[in-house]
Amino acid sequence: LLAAAEKRLLTWMATRLPRWVNSDHPTGLGAAAMLGAGVSYALAPPWPPALLLVVFFLVLNWFGDSLDGTLARVRRHERPRYGFYIDHVLDAVGILLLIGGLFAGGYVSLLPAAAFLLAYYLLTIEIALATHTLGVFRISYWRFGPTELRILLAIGTLQLLNSPWRTIAGHHLLLFPREPGKVGVLDQVSAVLVVVVVSDIQADFMGFCRPC
């Protein structure tokens, strides 16, 4: 949804960064921001303003995670294999820190958190294998990508400042359910698994139509 405007904004920022800043600096900033977001979730129950820090760290994560590749392209210092590897490793660690923070803060119980992580890692494996096998790299599905998901997470986090409950279609539901099987995390896990299946079907179709 935001890809075109985001690309223009990132290019504008990349052309104005000091020369001493290289693509590794935004990468490190994005990784540190995920740690900060996870720690902030863990601190939020006794100190609710920490939820505002979560939103701040999500913005920092967007800045670092989105800008590193753009900066490398603008300066023609691309390292596609290294960039692909380090981004995916840090994303895997980052989501663990984020969900771990939600768990430590008591916003979600162990089983839903583990189920979401497993579904997310399945999607990560699917993306990596499809990229290696078919040369097709996709991080957006149905016009939703990492930036849009960060925005949704930020909105949900701000809602936690008001109440962990939300009324959806007349039902009073926990925003981040603490018990397995509740609407919320279960729907998120199901959505990620649907994306995995659809992506796998698309990859199979492309492989069928392309000579080995």
Side-chain angles (χ1 to χ4, degrees):
L1 293 173
L2 302 173
E6 181 183 26
K7 183 177 180 180
R8 289 193 296 270
L9 176 61
L10 290 171
T11 302
W12 182 86
M13 290 191 295
T15 57
R16 284 159 177 80
L17 284 177
R19 294 301 302 178
W20 59 265
V21 176
N22 61 47
S23 57
D24 288 334
H25 293 120
T27 299
L29 176 65
M34 288 298 271
L35 173 61
V39 171
S40 298
Y41 272 130
L43 295 176
W47 188 53
L51 293 172
L52 296 176
L53 286 178
V54 173
V55 177
F56 169 73
F57 283 124
L58 287 175
V59 173
L60 277 187
N61 175 257
W62 167 81
F63 178 82
D65 190 47
S66 302
L67 190 62
D68 52 4
T70 302
L71 184 60
R73 284 188 291 274
V74 166
R75 296 183 179 174
R76 296 185 175 139
H77 293 157
E78 296 98 329
R79 295 171 294 175
R81 290 183 178 273
Y82 169 80
F84 182 85
Y85 169 77
I86 198 69
D87 279 354
H88 278 73
V89 169
L90 292 178
D91 284 347
V93 174
I95 196 67
L96 178 63
L97 294 171
L98 196 70
I99 300 299
L102 283 167
F103 171 71
Y107 292 110
V108 65
S109 62
L110 180 59
L111 188 55
F116 180 82
L117 275 177
L118 286 173
Y120 179 88
Y121 287 148
L122 278 175
L123 179 59
T124 301
I125 293 169
E126 162 62 28
I127 291 173
L129 290 176
T131 303
H132 177 75
T133 306
L134 302 173
V136 177
F137 178 52
R138 293 187 61 192
I139 56 172
S140 299
Y141 295 88
W142 302 305
R143 305 197 72 186
F144 263 72
T147 298
E148 289 80 8
L149 293 177
R150 287 187 189 95
I151 292 172
L152 287 178
L153 181 59
I155 292 171
T157 300
L158 291 175
Q159 173 62 24
L160 287 176
L161 280 169
N162 177 42
S163 168
W165 296 87
R166 190 70 174 168
T167 301
I168 302 175
H171 298 282
H172 204 45
L173 305 170
L174 273 171
L175 197 60
F176 296 104
R178 297 181 178 89
E179 300 299 328
K182 299 292 187 181
V183 176
V185 170
L186 182 62
D187 282 354
Q188 294 162 14
V189 172
S190 300
V192 175
L193 289 176
V194 167
V195 171
V196 172
V197 172
V198 171
S199 178
D200 185 56
I201 291 173
Q202 290 175 336
D204 289 343
F205 178 76
M206 290 179 64
F208 177 78
C209 295
R210 180 184 297 178
C212 295

